[in-house]
Amino acid sequence: MTTELSPATELPPTPDYDAWPIEADIETADVTPRLVTVRWSDGRVSRYHSIWLRENAGDETTVNPATRERILDLSRLPGWPEIAAAEIDDAGALCLTFTPEDIRLRFHPGWLRAHDYDNAEDPEAPLVPVTLWNGGPDAALDSLDASGLLDSEKGSAAEEAILAPALESVLGKGLVRLRNLPTQSGSLETIARRIGPIRPTNFGLLFDVKAKPNPDSNAYTSIALPPHTDLPTREYHPGLQMLHCLENSVEGGEAVMLDGFAVAEALRERDPEAFDTLTRVHWCYANTAKTTDYVWYSPMIRLDDRGALLEVRIADFLRGPLQAPFEDVEQAYAALMTLQQMLREPGFAIRFTYAPGDLVIFDNRRLLHARDAFEGTSGHRWLQGCYMERDEIRSRYRMVQRAGRVMRVGAR
Ligand SMILES: [Fe+2]
C-alpha cells in the first residue's frame, strides 16, 4: 500500500497540534532494518527504532487527522515494521519506506528532534524546576498585578502575559498571589476558568470561608487553623486550591503559607527515621460530617516511584483514629510530633494579610496553609475558594509554551 504524500516542499504533519521549530537540519540518515541513525547539522546523533517511528508517524493511517489521536494498532500490522529505505526530501523531512506494509512515511525534523529519546536527559522532568523555599520575616510570596485579566480576550497575548508568570510560580514554588482582581461574589469561577475546570466537592463549586452559624468545618469559624492541606480525606486530594479575598476588615486572621516539601526535606535531613516513618505508615484521614462520611488512609509524605516528593497530606483536625500495625504506633506518633514541631517554626512560614481582590493560588498537595484566629465581631473576613487539579495548570502552561513555539515557527 502506498499512501499519498504531502508535497515534498512542505513539511509533513506531526501527530499532535503543536508547532516544532527546526533547531537543526537532518544531514544524513543511516538505516538498518530496525534502526535509523540521524546525524543533525549541529553534530548531534539520534537513534530511533523502526517500531517507534512507525507508530509515531503523523499520516492518516496512523493518526486520525480530526482528533490527532492514534488509530494505528501495531499488533495488526503484517509484521514487525522495518525500514527498507530512507532519504531526506527537499523540505528537510525524513522519508522512510516501511516493510512489510510497503508504506512511505515522512517525519517532521522539528518533531523528531523534540522527541529524541536517545539523548533525552529526563523526559519526565517537571515543566518548571521545583524550587523549595523557606519563609521567615523577610519572605514574601510572588505577587502579580492581575487587574487586566478578566478584560483580556481568552488566549490573547494580554491574558498570557498575566497567566504565564503566575503558572510558572505555581509550578515552581507552589504558589502565587494575583492582586487587584474583582471582589464580586462568584467572580472566582470566571477567573479560575481562565486556567481550567474547577473540581466541585461536597462544599460546592465555590466555597465561602467565613465565620458562619452551624459550621461544618473549622474553616467556617473564627478560630486559628493549623498548617494543613485541604481534603486529605479524599483518595485523590485536590492538586490546587484558590482563595479569593472579597472582604477583610477584621483584626487578626493573618494568613500563613509553608512549603510542605521544604519542611519534608528538612525533616529528611534532621531525622531520617521520622521521615521514613511518615512515608510508610498509613494515617487515617476522616471528615465525618452530619450528611457525608469521607475517609482515606495514606502516608503523610508520599514519594513518587523515582523517590521525589509527590505530596504531603497534613491536617491534624482531619485525622481519624490511627489504625496502623501495633508495633508502628509509638514510632508513628513520635514522627508526627517531630513534624508538627517543625511546622510551628517561623523560619518555614510566609505570613501575609489578604486584601480584597487578592487571589492566592497554591498547590494543595505541597503547600500548607494556616490562619491566625480573628476577632469575629471586628469586621468581615470573607474568602471564596475552589479546587482544581494539577493537570489543569500543567495543561494551561503547556498551551502557553505551545503558543510561544507557534510564534517562533511563524517568524521563520
Ligand atoms: Fe483550608
Short mmCIF file of all heavy atoms in Angstrom, two decimals, residues 312-375:
data_model
loop_
_atom_site.label_atom_id
_atom_site.label_comp_id
_atom_site.label_asym_id
_atom_site.label_seq_id
_atom_site.Cartn_x
_atom_site.Cartn_y
_atom_site.Cartn_z
N VAL A 312 2.29 15.99 50.26
CA VAL A 312 2.15 15.89 51.71
C VAL A 312 0.65 15.95 52.01
O VAL A 312 -0.11 16.58 51.26
CB VAL A 312 2.90 17.00 52.46
CG1 VAL A 312 4.41 16.86 52.26
CG2 VAL A 312 2.42 18.39 52.05
N ARG A 313 0.27 15.25 53.03
CA ARG A 313 -1.15 15.13 53.37
C ARG A 313 -1.24 15.39 54.87
O ARG A 313 -1.01 14.49 55.68
CB ARG A 313 -1.60 13.71 53.03
CG ARG A 313 -3.06 13.51 52.77
CD ARG A 313 -3.31 12.05 52.44
NE ARG A 313 -3.23 11.76 51.02
CZ ARG A 313 -4.28 11.52 50.23
NH1 ARG A 313 -5.50 11.56 50.72
NH2 ARG A 313 -4.10 11.22 48.96
N ILE A 314 -1.49 16.63 55.22
CA ILE A 314 -1.37 17.05 56.62
C ILE A 314 -2.58 17.89 57.00
O ILE A 314 -2.85 18.91 56.35
CB ILE A 314 -0.07 17.87 56.83
CG1 ILE A 314 1.17 17.00 56.57
CG2 ILE A 314 -0.04 18.46 58.23
CD1 ILE A 314 2.46 17.77 56.46
N ALA A 315 -3.32 17.46 57.98
CA ALA A 315 -4.41 18.26 58.55
C ALA A 315 -4.78 17.61 59.87
O ALA A 315 -5.50 16.61 59.89
CB ALA A 315 -5.61 18.32 57.61
N ASP A 316 -4.23 18.18 60.95
CA ASP A 316 -4.40 17.50 62.22
C ASP A 316 -5.86 17.35 62.62
O ASP A 316 -6.25 16.37 63.23
CB ASP A 316 -3.62 18.26 63.30
CG ASP A 316 -3.01 17.30 64.29
OD1 ASP A 316 -2.46 16.27 63.85
OD2 ASP A 316 -3.13 17.54 65.51
N PHE A 317 -6.67 18.36 62.23
CA PHE A 317 -8.08 18.32 62.65
C PHE A 317 -8.90 17.35 61.79
O PHE A 317 -10.08 17.13 62.04
CB PHE A 317 -8.70 19.73 62.61
CG PHE A 317 -8.46 20.48 61.33
CD1 PHE A 317 -9.42 20.49 60.33
CD2 PHE A 317 -7.29 21.19 61.13
CE1 PHE A 317 -9.20 21.18 59.14
CE2 PHE A 317 -7.06 21.89 59.95
CZ PHE A 317 -8.01 21.89 58.95
N LEU A 318 -8.27 16.76 60.77
CA LEU A 318 -8.99 15.80 59.93
C LEU A 318 -8.38 14.40 60.03
O LEU A 318 -8.61 13.56 59.17
CB LEU A 318 -8.99 16.26 58.47
CG LEU A 318 -9.77 17.55 58.19
CD1 LEU A 318 -9.57 17.99 56.76
CD2 LEU A 318 -11.26 17.36 58.48
N ARG A 319 -7.58 14.18 61.08
CA ARG A 319 -7.06 12.82 61.26
C ARG A 319 -8.04 12.00 62.07
O ARG A 319 -8.52 12.44 63.11
CB ARG A 319 -5.70 12.85 61.96
CG ARG A 319 -4.55 13.03 61.00
CD ARG A 319 -3.20 12.69 61.60
NE ARG A 319 -2.93 13.42 62.81
CZ ARG A 319 -3.04 12.92 64.04
NH1 ARG A 319 -3.43 11.65 64.21
NH2 ARG A 319 -2.77 13.65 65.09
N GLY A 320 -8.33 10.81 61.56
CA GLY A 320 -9.16 9.88 62.30
C GLY A 320 -8.27 9.00 63.17
O GLY A 320 -7.06 9.23 63.26
N PRO A 321 -8.85 8.00 63.79
CA PRO A 321 -8.05 7.13 64.65
C PRO A 321 -7.02 6.33 63.86
O PRO A 321 -7.37 5.68 62.86
CB PRO A 321 -9.08 6.21 65.31
CG PRO A 321 -10.39 6.53 64.71
CD PRO A 321 -10.27 7.65 63.76
N LEU A 322 -5.77 6.39 64.29
CA LEU A 322 -4.70 5.64 63.63
C LEU A 322 -5.01 4.15 63.71
O LEU A 322 -5.35 3.64 64.77
CB LEU A 322 -3.37 5.97 64.33
CG LEU A 322 -2.12 5.24 63.84
CD1 LEU A 322 -1.80 5.59 62.40
CD2 LEU A 322 -0.93 5.56 64.74
N GLN A 323 -4.88 3.47 62.58
CA GLN A 323 -5.15 2.02 62.54
C GLN A 323 -3.93 1.31 61.95
O GLN A 323 -4.03 0.55 61.00
CB GLN A 323 -6.38 1.73 61.67
CG GLN A 323 -7.66 2.38 62.15
CD GLN A 323 -8.20 1.74 63.42
OE1 GLN A 323 -8.67 0.62 63.40
NE2 GLN A 323 -8.10 2.46 64.52
N ALA A 324 -2.76 1.61 62.51
CA ALA A 324 -1.51 1.09 61.97
C ALA A 324 -1.14 -0.20 62.68
O ALA A 324 -1.69 -0.52 63.74
CB ALA A 324 -0.41 2.13 62.17
N PRO A 325 -0.18 -0.97 62.11
CA PRO A 325 0.30 -2.16 62.82
C PRO A 325 0.75 -1.78 64.24
O PRO A 325 1.36 -0.73 64.45
CB PRO A 325 1.48 -2.63 61.97
CG PRO A 325 1.18 -2.11 60.59
CD PRO A 325 0.46 -0.82 60.80
N PHE A 326 0.44 -2.65 65.19
CA PHE A 326 0.65 -2.37 66.62
C PHE A 326 2.06 -1.84 66.89
O PHE A 326 2.25 -0.84 67.60
CB PHE A 326 0.43 -3.68 67.40
CG PHE A 326 0.37 -3.49 68.87
CD1 PHE A 326 -0.81 -3.08 69.48
CD2 PHE A 326 1.48 -3.72 69.65
CE1 PHE A 326 -0.88 -2.90 70.85
CE2 PHE A 326 1.43 -3.55 71.02
CZ PHE A 326 0.25 -3.14 71.62
N GLU A 327 3.07 -2.47 66.27
CA GLU A 327 4.46 -2.11 66.58
C GLU A 327 4.87 -0.77 65.95
O GLU A 327 5.92 -0.23 66.29
CB GLU A 327 5.43 -3.22 66.16
CG GLU A 327 5.37 -3.64 64.70
CD GLU A 327 4.22 -4.59 64.39
OE1 GLU A 327 3.32 -4.81 65.25
OE2 GLU A 327 4.17 -5.11 63.25
N ASP A 328 4.04 -0.21 65.07
CA ASP A 328 4.39 1.08 64.44
C ASP A 328 3.84 2.28 65.20
O ASP A 328 4.20 3.43 64.90
CB ASP A 328 3.80 1.13 63.01
CG ASP A 328 4.63 0.33 62.02
OD1 ASP A 328 5.80 0.04 62.33
OD2 ASP A 328 4.10 0.00 60.95
N VAL A 329 2.94 2.04 66.16
CA VAL A 329 2.13 3.14 66.68
C VAL A 329 2.97 4.23 67.37
O VAL A 329 2.87 5.41 67.05
CB VAL A 329 1.02 2.61 67.61
CG1 VAL A 329 0.34 3.74 68.38
CG2 VAL A 329 -0.01 1.84 66.77
N GLU A 330 3.83 3.84 68.31
CA GLU A 330 4.58 4.88 69.04
C GLU A 330 5.54 5.62 68.12
O GLU A 330 5.68 6.83 68.20
CB GLU A 330 5.30 4.26 70.23
CG GLU A 330 4.32 3.83 71.33
CD GLU A 330 4.95 3.77 72.70
OE1 GLU A 330 6.18 3.62 72.78
OE2 GLU A 330 4.19 3.87 73.68
N GLN A 331 6.17 4.86 67.24
CA GLN A 331 7.10 5.47 66.28
C GLN A 331 6.36 6.47 65.38
O GLN A 331 6.88 7.54 65.06
CB GLN A 331 7.70 4.35 65.43
CG GLN A 331 8.99 4.69 64.76
CD GLN A 331 9.52 3.50 63.94
OE1 GLN A 331 8.80 2.54 63.66
NE2 GLN A 331 10.77 3.59 63.56
N ALA A 332 5.16 6.10 64.99
CA ALA A 332 4.37 6.98 64.12
C ALA A 332 4.04 8.29 64.85
O ALA A 332 4.18 9.38 64.29
CB ALA A 332 3.09 6.27 63.68
N TYR A 333 3.60 8.18 66.09
CA TYR A 333 3.25 9.40 66.83
C TYR A 333 4.49 10.26 67.09
O TYR A 333 4.43 11.49 67.05
CB TYR A 333 2.55 9.07 68.14
CG TYR A 333 1.08 8.78 67.95
CD1 TYR A 333 0.55 7.50 68.11
CD2 TYR A 333 0.19 9.80 67.60
CE1 TYR A 333 -0.79 7.22 67.93
CE2 TYR A 333 -1.15 9.55 67.41
CZ TYR A 333 -1.65 8.26 67.58
OH TYR A 333 -2.98 8.02 67.39
N ALA A 334 5.63 9.61 67.37
CA ALA A 334 6.87 10.37 67.61
C ALA A 334 7.24 11.17 66.35
O ALA A 334 7.59 12.36 66.41
CB ALA A 334 8.00 9.43 68.00
N ALA A 335 7.13 10.51 65.18
CA ALA A 335 7.45 11.20 63.91
C ALA A 335 6.45 12.33 63.65
O ALA A 335 6.83 13.42 63.21
CB ALA A 335 7.41 10.19 62.76
N LEU A 336 5.19 12.07 63.94
CA LEU A 336 4.15 13.09 63.74
C LEU A 336 4.47 14.33 64.57
O LEU A 336 4.39 15.47 64.07
CB LEU A 336 2.79 12.51 64.14
CG LEU A 336 1.65 13.52 64.26
CD1 LEU A 336 1.26 14.05 62.89
CD2 LEU A 336 0.44 12.90 64.95
N MET A 337 4.84 14.11 65.84
CA MET A 337 5.09 15.28 66.71
C MET A 337 6.35 16.03 66.28
O MET A 337 6.40 17.25 66.37
CB MET A 337 5.14 14.84 68.17
CG MET A 337 3.74 14.52 68.68
SD MET A 337 3.68 14.30 70.46
CE MET A 337 4.40 12.67 70.61
N THR A 338 7.36 15.31 65.80
CA THR A 338 8.56 15.99 65.28
C THR A 338 8.16 16.89 64.11
O THR A 338 8.57 18.04 64.02
CB THR A 338 9.59 14.94 64.81
OG1 THR A 338 9.93 14.12 65.93
CG2 THR A 338 10.84 15.60 64.27
N LEU A 339 7.33 16.36 63.23
CA LEU A 339 6.88 17.15 62.09
C LEU A 339 6.06 18.36 62.57
O LEU A 339 6.25 19.49 62.09
CB LEU A 339 6.03 16.29 61.15
CG LEU A 339 5.42 17.03 59.96
CD1 LEU A 339 6.50 17.40 58.95
CD2 LEU A 339 4.34 16.20 59.28
N GLN A 340 5.17 18.12 63.51
CA GLN A 340 4.31 19.22 63.97
C GLN A 340 5.12 20.34 64.62
O GLN A 340 4.80 21.52 64.46
CB GLN A 340 3.23 18.70 64.91
CG GLN A 340 2.15 17.97 64.13
CD GLN A 340 1.10 17.34 65.00
OE1 GLN A 340 1.41 16.91 66.12
NE2 GLN A 340 -0.11 17.27 64.51
N GLN A 341 6.18 19.96 65.35
CA GLN A 341 7.05 21.00 65.93
C GLN A 341 7.71 21.82 64.83
O GLN A 341 7.82 23.04 64.92
CB GLN A 341 8.10 20.35 66.83
CG GLN A 341 7.53 19.92 68.18
CD GLN A 341 8.39 18.86 68.87
OE1 GLN A 341 9.46 18.52 68.40
NE2 GLN A 341 7.87 18.33 69.96
N MET A 342 8.12 21.14 63.78
CA MET A 342 8.75 21.87 62.67
C MET A 342 7.76 22.82 62.00
O MET A 342 8.12 23.91 61.57
CB MET A 342 9.31 20.88 61.64
CG MET A 342 10.54 20.13 62.16
SD MET A 342 11.13 18.88 60.99
CE MET A 342 11.80 19.91 59.70
N LEU A 343 6.52 22.39 61.90
CA LEU A 343 5.51 23.24 61.25
C LEU A 343 5.28 24.54 62.01
O LEU A 343 4.77 25.51 61.45
CB LEU A 343 4.18 22.49 61.10
CG LEU A 343 4.19 21.27 60.18
CD1 LEU A 343 2.83 20.57 60.19
CD2 LEU A 343 4.57 21.65 58.76
N ARG A 344 5.66 24.56 63.28
CA ARG A 344 5.49 25.80 64.07
C ARG A 344 6.71 26.71 63.97
O ARG A 344 6.68 27.82 64.48
CB ARG A 344 5.24 25.44 65.54
CG ARG A 344 3.87 24.85 65.80
CD ARG A 344 3.49 24.93 67.27
NE ARG A 344 4.34 24.10 68.12
CZ ARG A 344 4.09 22.82 68.41
NH1 ARG A 344 3.02 22.23 67.92
NH2 ARG A 344 4.90 22.15 69.20
N GLU A 345 7.77 26.26 63.32
CA GLU A 345 8.98 27.09 63.23
C GLU A 345 8.71 28.28 62.30
O GLU A 345 8.33 28.09 61.14
CB GLU A 345 10.16 26.26 62.67
CG GLU A 345 10.67 25.23 63.64
CD GLU A 345 11.81 24.40 63.04
OE1 GLU A 345 12.46 24.85 62.08
OE2 GLU A 345 12.01 23.26 63.54
N PRO A 346 8.95 29.49 62.80
CA PRO A 346 8.65 30.66 61.96
C PRO A 346 9.49 30.71 60.70
O PRO A 346 9.08 31.34 59.70
CB PRO A 346 8.98 31.86 62.87
CG PRO A 346 9.34 31.32 64.20
CD PRO A 346 9.45 29.83 64.14
N GLY A 347 10.63 30.03 60.70
CA GLY A 347 11.52 30.07 59.54
C GLY A 347 10.93 29.42 58.30
O GLY A 347 11.42 29.63 57.20
N PHE A 348 9.87 28.63 58.45
CA PHE A 348 9.25 28.00 57.28
C PHE A 348 8.08 28.81 56.71
O PHE A 348 7.63 28.55 55.61
CB PHE A 348 8.74 26.59 57.62
CG PHE A 348 9.83 25.57 57.78
CD1 PHE A 348 10.05 24.95 59.01
CD2 PHE A 348 10.65 25.23 56.71
CE1 PHE A 348 11.06 24.00 59.15
CE2 PHE A 348 11.66 24.29 56.85
CZ PHE A 348 11.86 23.67 58.08
N ALA A 349 7.58 29.75 57.50
CA ALA A 349 6.28 30.36 57.17
C ALA A 349 6.42 31.71 56.47
O ALA A 349 7.25 32.54 56.84
CB ALA A 349 5.47 30.54 58.45
N ILE A 350 5.59 31.90 55.46
CA ILE A 350 5.35 33.24 54.91
C ILE A 350 4.03 33.71 55.50
O ILE A 350 3.04 32.98 55.48
CB ILE A 350 5.23 33.19 53.36
CG1 ILE A 350 6.59 33.00 52.71
CG2 ILE A 350 4.59 34.48 52.85
CD1 ILE A 350 6.54 32.99 51.19
N ARG A 351 4.03 34.92 56.05
CA ARG A 351 2.81 35.48 56.64
C ARG A 351 2.38 36.68 55.81
O ARG A 351 3.21 37.47 55.35
CB ARG A 351 3.06 35.92 58.09
CG ARG A 351 3.66 34.84 58.99
CD ARG A 351 3.77 35.34 60.41
NE ARG A 351 2.46 35.51 61.01
CZ ARG A 351 1.79 34.53 61.62
NH1 ARG A 351 2.31 33.33 61.73
NH2 ARG A 351 0.60 34.76 62.12
N PHE A 352 1.09 36.80 55.62
CA PHE A 352 0.59 37.97 54.88
C PHE A 352 -0.87 38.19 55.24
O PHE A 352 -1.53 37.30 55.81
CB PHE A 352 0.75 37.78 53.36
CG PHE A 352 -0.03 36.62 52.81
CD1 PHE A 352 -1.28 36.81 52.22
CD2 PHE A 352 0.46 35.33 52.88
CE1 PHE A 352 -2.01 35.75 51.71
CE2 PHE A 352 -0.26 34.24 52.37
CZ PHE A 352 -1.49 34.45 51.79
N THR A 353 -1.35 39.38 54.91
CA THR A 353 -2.76 39.69 55.16
C THR A 353 -3.46 39.83 53.81
O THR A 353 -2.97 40.53 52.92
CB THR A 353 -2.87 41.02 55.95
OG1 THR A 353 -2.17 40.85 57.18
CG2 THR A 353 -4.32 41.36 56.23
N TYR A 354 -4.56 39.13 53.66
CA TYR A 354 -5.32 39.22 52.41
C TYR A 354 -5.92 40.61 52.26
O TYR A 354 -6.50 41.15 53.20
CB TYR A 354 -6.49 38.23 52.43
CG TYR A 354 -6.13 36.82 52.04
CD1 TYR A 354 -5.97 35.83 53.00
CD2 TYR A 354 -5.99 36.47 50.70
CE1 TYR A 354 -5.66 34.53 52.64
CE2 TYR A 354 -5.68 35.17 50.33
CZ TYR A 354 -5.52 34.21 51.31
OH TYR A 354 -5.22 32.93 50.94
N ALA A 355 -5.79 41.17 51.06
CA ALA A 355 -6.51 42.40 50.74
C ALA A 355 -7.63 42.02 49.77
O ALA A 355 -7.47 41.10 48.96
CB ALA A 355 -5.56 43.38 50.06
N PRO A 356 -8.77 42.74 49.83
CA PRO A 356 -9.83 42.45 48.87
C PRO A 356 -9.29 42.52 47.43
O PRO A 356 -8.52 43.43 47.10
CB PRO A 356 -10.85 43.56 49.14
CG PRO A 356 -10.61 43.92 50.58
CD PRO A 356 -9.14 43.78 50.79
N GLY A 357 -9.63 41.52 46.62
CA GLY A 357 -9.13 41.47 45.25
C GLY A 357 -7.90 40.58 45.11
O GLY A 357 -7.43 40.36 43.99
N ASP A 358 -7.38 40.08 46.22
CA ASP A 358 -6.26 39.14 46.15
C ASP A 358 -6.78 37.74 45.85
O ASP A 358 -7.83 37.33 46.37
CB ASP A 358 -5.53 39.04 47.51
CG ASP A 358 -4.60 40.21 47.75
OD1 ASP A 358 -4.44 41.05 46.85
OD2 ASP A 358 -4.02 40.27 48.86
N LEU A 359 -6.04 37.02 45.04
CA LEU A 359 -6.34 35.60 44.80
C LEU A 359 -5.03 34.83 44.97
O LEU A 359 -4.07 35.10 44.24
CB LEU A 359 -6.88 35.39 43.38
CG LEU A 359 -6.98 33.93 42.92
CD1 LEU A 359 -7.98 33.14 43.76
CD2 LEU A 359 -7.39 33.86 41.46
N VAL A 360 -5.01 33.94 45.93
CA VAL A 360 -3.81 33.12 46.13
C VAL A 360 -4.10 31.74 45.55
O VAL A 360 -5.11 31.11 45.89
CB VAL A 360 -3.41 33.05 47.62
CG1 VAL A 360 -2.22 32.12 47.80
CG2 VAL A 360 -3.05 34.45 48.12
N ILE A 361 -3.25 31.33 44.63
CA ILE A 361 -3.37 30.01 44.00
C ILE A 361 -2.22 29.17 44.52
O ILE A 361 -1.06 29.61 44.45
CB ILE A 361 -3.26 30.10 42.46
CG1 ILE A 361 -4.24 31.13 41.91
CG2 ILE A 361 -3.49 28.74 41.81
CD1 ILE A 361 -4.08 31.37 40.39
N PHE A 362 -2.53 28.01 45.07
CA PHE A 362 -1.42 27.21 45.61
C PHE A 362 -1.65 25.72 45.41
O PHE A 362 -2.78 25.25 45.26
CB PHE A 362 -1.17 27.54 47.08
CG PHE A 362 -2.34 27.37 48.00
CD1 PHE A 362 -2.50 26.19 48.73
CD2 PHE A 362 -3.27 28.38 48.16
CE1 PHE A 362 -3.58 26.04 49.60
CE2 PHE A 362 -4.36 28.23 49.01
CZ PHE A 362 -4.51 27.06 49.73
N ASP A 363 -0.53 25.02 45.39
CA ASP A 363 -0.53 23.57 45.21
C ASP A 363 -0.96 22.94 46.53
O ASP A 363 -0.20 22.92 47.49
CB ASP A 363 0.88 23.11 44.81
CG ASP A 363 0.93 21.62 44.51
OD1 ASP A 363 0.18 20.85 45.14
OD2 ASP A 363 1.73 21.22 43.64
N ASN A 364 -2.16 22.42 46.55
CA ASN A 364 -2.73 21.90 47.80
C ASN A 364 -2.14 20.56 48.21
O ASN A 364 -2.40 20.08 49.30
CB ASN A 364 -4.25 21.78 47.62
CG ASN A 364 -4.95 21.30 48.87
OD1 ASN A 364 -4.89 21.96 49.90
ND2 ASN A 364 -5.59 20.13 48.80
N ARG A 365 -1.34 19.94 47.34
CA ARG A 365 -0.68 18.69 47.73
C ARG A 365 0.78 18.95 48.06
O ARG A 365 1.54 18.01 48.23
CB ARG A 365 -0.85 17.65 46.60
CG ARG A 365 -2.32 17.24 46.44
CD ARG A 365 -2.56 16.46 45.15
NE ARG A 365 -1.83 15.22 45.13
CZ ARG A 365 -1.47 14.58 44.02
NH1 ARG A 365 -1.76 15.09 42.83
NH2 ARG A 365 -0.82 13.45 44.09
N ARG A 366 1.16 20.20 48.13
CA ARG A 366 2.51 20.58 48.51
C ARG A 366 2.54 21.64 49.61
O ARG A 366 3.26 21.53 50.57
CB ARG A 366 3.26 21.10 47.27
CG ARG A 366 4.56 21.77 47.59
CD ARG A 366 5.29 22.26 46.35
NE ARG A 366 6.42 23.07 46.73
CZ ARG A 366 7.22 23.71 45.89
NH1 ARG A 366 7.00 23.61 44.59
NH2 ARG A 366 8.22 24.44 46.33
N LEU A 367 1.76 22.70 49.42
CA LEU A 367 1.76 23.82 50.36
C LEU A 367 0.83 23.53 51.53
O LEU A 367 -0.17 22.84 51.38
CB LEU A 367 1.24 25.09 49.66
CG LEU A 367 2.22 25.97 48.90
CD1 LEU A 367 2.85 26.98 49.82
CD2 LEU A 367 3.26 25.19 48.14
N LEU A 368 1.19 24.10 52.66
CA LEU A 368 0.30 24.04 53.82
C LEU A 368 -0.19 25.46 54.06
O LEU A 368 0.60 26.40 53.95
CB LEU A 368 1.05 23.55 55.06
CG LEU A 368 1.73 22.20 54.89
CD1 LEU A 368 2.62 21.91 56.09
CD2 LEU A 368 0.69 21.11 54.76
N HIS A 369 -1.46 25.60 54.35
CA HIS A 369 -1.96 26.93 54.68
C HIS A 369 -2.54 26.91 56.09
O HIS A 369 -2.97 25.87 56.58
CB HIS A 369 -2.96 27.43 53.64
CG HIS A 369 -4.17 26.57 53.47
ND1 HIS A 369 -4.14 25.32 52.91
CD2 HIS A 369 -5.47 26.79 53.80
CE1 HIS A 369 -5.37 24.81 52.88
NE2 HIS A 369 -6.18 25.68 53.43
N ALA A 370 -2.49 28.07 56.69
CA ALA A 370 -2.96 28.21 58.07
C ALA A 370 -3.46 29.62 58.23
O ALA A 370 -3.26 30.46 57.36
CB ALA A 370 -1.80 27.95 59.04
N ARG A 371 -4.14 29.87 59.33
CA ARG A 371 -4.53 31.27 59.62
C ARG A 371 -4.59 31.45 61.11
O ARG A 371 -4.87 30.52 61.87
CB ARG A 371 -5.86 31.62 58.95
CG ARG A 371 -7.06 30.96 59.57
CD ARG A 371 -8.34 31.80 59.55
NE ARG A 371 -9.30 31.15 60.41
CZ ARG A 371 -10.36 30.48 59.99
NH1 ARG A 371 -10.64 30.41 58.71
NH2 ARG A 371 -11.16 29.92 60.86
N ASP A 372 -4.33 32.69 61.50
CA ASP A 372 -4.49 33.05 62.90
C ASP A 372 -5.97 33.19 63.21
O ASP A 372 -6.79 33.38 62.30
CB ASP A 372 -3.80 34.38 63.18
CG ASP A 372 -2.28 34.28 63.03
OD1 ASP A 372 -1.78 33.15 63.00
OD2 ASP A 372 -1.64 35.34 62.93
N ALA A 373 -6.28 33.13 64.50
CA ALA A 373 -7.66 33.42 64.90
C ALA A 373 -7.96 34.88 64.57
O ALA A 373 -7.05 35.71 64.46
CB ALA A 373 -7.82 33.19 66.40
N PHE A 374 -9.22 35.17 64.32
CA PHE A 374 -9.57 36.57 64.11
C PHE A 374 -10.75 36.93 65.00
O PHE A 374 -11.46 36.06 65.51
CB PHE A 374 -9.82 36.91 62.64
CG PHE A 374 -10.89 36.11 61.96
CD1 PHE A 374 -12.20 36.54 61.95
CD2 PHE A 374 -10.58 34.92 61.28
CE1 PHE A 374 -13.18 35.81 61.30
CE2 PHE A 374 -11.56 34.20 60.62
CZ PHE A 374 -12.86 34.63 60.64
N GLU A 375 -10.91 38.21 65.17
CA GLU A 375 -11.96 38.72 66.05
C GLU A 375 -13.22 38.85 65.21
O GLU A 375 -13.34 39.76 64.37
CB GLU A 375 -11.50 40.08 66.63
CG GLU A 375 -12.43 40.71 67.61
CD GLU A 375 -12.82 39.78 68.75
OE1 GLU A 375 -11.93 39.36 69.50
OE2 GLU A 375 -14.03 39.47 68.85
#
